[in-house]
Amino acid sequence: MSDRYNMNNLCVAALYASSLAGNLVEQLWNFAWPSSIALLHPSLLPVAVMGFFSKLAIIIGGPLLGKLMDFSPRVPAYMGLNVVQAAAQLLSATMIIHAHTVSSTSAPAVLFRPWFILLVLAGAIERLCGVATGVAVERDWVILLAGMNRPIALAQANAVLNRIDLLCEIAGASVFGFLLSKYEPVTCLKYAAASMIWSLPVMIGLTWLTNKLATGVLDRPKSCQTSCGESPEEAVVEAGSIVDRGLETIKLGWKEYMQQPVLPASLAYVLLFFNVVLAPSSLMTAFLTQHGVNPSIIGVFSGLCAFMGVAATFLSATLVKQLGILKAGAAGLVFQASLLSLAVAVYWSGSLSQQSPVLLFLGLIVLSRLGHMSYDVVGAQILQTGIPSSKVNLIGTTEVSVASLAESVMLGVAIVANDASHFGFLALLSLLSVVGAAWMFCRLLLNPTDEQRSLFAVESNK
């Protein structure tokens, strides 16, 4: 028993190391590309267009890739997606470097340049692969390695994975922000490309080590394959065509998503994705860059937002213990909505031309992330409780697709209102989405269904 316990711990530790190697580069790139593009043109349009098409790729491709992963061997599929993601990141970096070496044009004209079209395609592929690997680790691998029958170990593993992701966000944003304040954008992008090249073999090696230490756990067939009684080949033949099968999978994903017992909690999570500017997002990075804020301050802002997420992984455990899981989720959302209301009030006061109001505005957003990430941690546990293991990838990627749909709607609005002067309007819409999420979750708390009561029976004793 002791040997098996130690082996489980080694497997999970190897998974942590693999996640660290991958997330560090991914988070660095998530900060690098919008800040580099924002330096090309005084408009939010290029960043908004890139974000829009990335989300569109997730909306369409998320359920399809999730279904494919449910039928594919875990380790080869995961490694393959990491290779494709790294290649897409390198291509994106190359295109942005090229853009910085040619003469600039107006923002609308940029959209039809070959380099920008390639950049959009590479960015969409990169995000789709990133989402798929994230769902695989957070909704499947960690459950197998930590143990479904070890709830405490699973909760600890979830918290550590969240901390790794957030610490990588702190490091990635801070490092690239510092580099951008000292060097030219092209030099910084070359450093980012070098990090992508060295991290890929490290990540693949650590994934192989995780599988070896797991001694076959990750090679087990998924319950979806055994219970559904069909192979991938049979599924394709039955559908008659790839297009028909794809549409069938998308419909199935949405159907399963809408029928999950914890739908209100998931929809509250989705509503938070309408918040595209009052967060450390690509549009916020572009706005601050064009507003003349020092890149190192922008990097510190993103890093502090992520640090609040790390703090939330500790705070959420205390909140759940004191309030129960549902009340803890509600507390996080209400806290976030309250602070963002103050942030929007500061923005609309019209004093952001001075440094102190800008720092106050950013500080309120940083503090609001404590509530946001507390709900993120609590919400993940709610969804792990309510989603059956045989449908985890399908429902998980569909949820990401729905969230991406919400974000793409707001990015579409940003494409129309692409001038930086319209930022206040986007901020107000973002605030309304967070308030809506808090309202929806509070409704679940006050009026749960019988099935929800049975899932969270412990709440009745709080």
Side-chain angles (χ1 to χ4, degrees):
M1 179 66 77
S2 177
D3 290 343
R4 183 181 300 176
Y5 177 80
N6 291 334
M7 186 60 68
N8 278 347
N9 286 341
L10 285 173
C11 294
V12 175
L15 180 65
Y16 294 158
S18 174
S19 182
L20 176 65
N23 279 349
L24 186 58
V25 173
E26 184 174 331
Q27 294 297 347
L28 184 148
W29 183 241
N30 286 344
F31 183 83
W33 75 260
S35 57
S36 300
I37 293 176
L39 292 171
L40 291 170
H41 298 283
S43 170
L44 299 176
L45 185 59
V47 174
V49 169
M50 265 206 71
F52 177 81
F53 281 100
S54 295
K55 300 307 173 185
L56 186 63
I58 295 172
I59 294 166
I60 297 172
L64 296 175
L65 195 53
K67 186 71 171 178
L68 179 63
M69 291 181 69
D70 277 335
F71 279 121
S72 303
R74 289 183 177 89
V75 177
Y78 182 79
M79 288 183 175
L81 287 172
N82 277 307
V83 171
V84 174
Q85 184 180 16
Q89 289 171 344
L90 284 170
L91 179 58
S92 298
T94 303
M95 292 301 100
I96 299 176
I97 289 172
H98 171 74
H100 276 275
T101 57
V102 299
S103 58
S104 61
T105 57
S106 64
V110 166
L111 305 185
F112 302 100
R113 291 294 180 92
W115 68 263
F116 187 78
I117 294 172
L118 280 175
L119 178 62
V120 169
L121 291 174
I125 293 171
E126 190 272 337
R127 276 296 77 223
L128 185 58
C129 291
V131 165
T133 53
V135 169
V137 170
E138 295 170 10
R139 301 287 177 88
D140 185 22
W141 286 38
V142 70
I143 297 173
L144 288 171
L145 296 177
M148 176 69 81
N149 59 343
R150 299 170 65 208
I152 296 176
L154 180 58
Q156 291 173 340
N158 285 331
V160 172
L161 285 174
N162 268 284
R163 289 167 198 157
I164 288 173
D165 185 52
L166 294 164
L167 288 171
C168 288
E169 188 175 339
I170 294 172
S174 301
V175 168
F176 197 84
F178 173 77
L179 290 174
L180 204 56
S181 67
K182 298 292 182 182
Y183 304 103
E184 292 296 316
V186 170
T187 303
C188 299
L189 288 167
K190 288 179 180 177
Y191 281 125
S195 69
M196 298 167 192
I197 294 171
W198 72 256
S199 69
L200 181 60
V202 173
M203 183 168 42
I204 289 177
L206 289 170
T207 302
W208 174 84
L209 178 62
T210 303
N211 187 42
K212 182 170 179 150
L213 291 172
T215 60
V217 171
L218 296 176
D219 295 326
R220 292 176 186 170
K222 301 179 183 180
S223 53
C224 171
Q225 291 169 275
T226 56
S227 63
C228 295
E230 63 176 1
S231 66
E233 295 79 6
E234 290 171 339
V236 173
V237 171
E238 287 176 7
S241 73
I242 295 175
V243 174
D244 289 342
R245 183 61 182 176
L247 292 174
E248 179 186 333
T249 300
I250 292 173
K251 289 178 183 177
L252 176 62
W254 281 76
K255 179 182 176 182
E256 294 290 352
Y257 175 78
M258 296 303 295
Q259 289 179 349
Q260 62 173 313
V262 289
L263 180 62
S266 179
L267 290 178
Y269 171 78
V270 167
L271 276 172
L272 295 178
F273 279 79
F274 280 99
N275 175 18
V276 296
V277 294
L278 298 176
S281 62
S282 58
L283 286 178
M284 174 62 88
T285 300
F287 169 76
L288 294 175
T289 301
Q290 293 165 5
H291 201 69
V293 178
N294 190 293
S296 60
I297 293 179
I298 302 174
V300 169
F301 163 71
S302 297
L304 287 176
C305 285
F307 177 77
M308 287 297 164
V310 177
T313 62
F314 296 97
L315 177 64
S316 59
T318 303
L319 286 175
V320 170
K321 186 181 294 185
Q322 297 294 327
L323 303 176
I325 191 167
L326 294 182
K327 289 180 182 178
L333 289 174
V334 170
F335 182 79
Q336 182 187 11
S338 301
L339 287 174
L340 289 184
S341 298
L342 294 175
V344 170
V346 171
Y347 179 87
W348 280 102
S349 69
S351 56
L352 286 193
S353 57
Q354 303 170 9
Q355 187 174 24
S356 295
V358 170
L359 294 178
L360 176 60
F361 173 69
L362 296 179
L364 289 168
I365 294 176
V366 167
L367 289 175
S368 76
R369 301 302 289 177
L370 189 61
H372 175 89
M373 295 308 298
S374 293
Y375 180 74
D376 191 62
V377 174
V378 172
Q381 191 170 341
I382 292 173
L383 295 173
Q384 284 176 334
T385 302
I387 298 177
S389 60
S390 63
K391 302 172 183 177
V392 63
N393 280 309
L394 178 61
I395 293 178
T397 50
T398 301
E399 180 188 67
V400 174
S401 296
V402 178
S404 297
L405 176 61
E407 197 168 353
S408 66
V409 169
M410 284 295 289
L411 288 169
V413 174
I415 290 173
V416 176
N418 61 78
D419 193 272
S421 62
H422 296 137
F423 184 85
F425 170 68
L426 296 175
L428 185 59
L429 291 180
S430 293
L431 171 62
L432 291 176
S433 70
V434 176
V435 172
W439 172 79
M440 178 167 288
F441 193 86
C442 286
R443 281 194 63 191
L444 166 64
L445 177 63
L446 297 174
N447 300 296
T449 64
D450 291 339
E451 187 174 10
Q452 290 160 357
R453 289 180 192 278
S454 65
L455 282 172
F456 307 104
V458 68
E459 299 289 307
S460 61
N461 297 324
K462 295 282 181 185

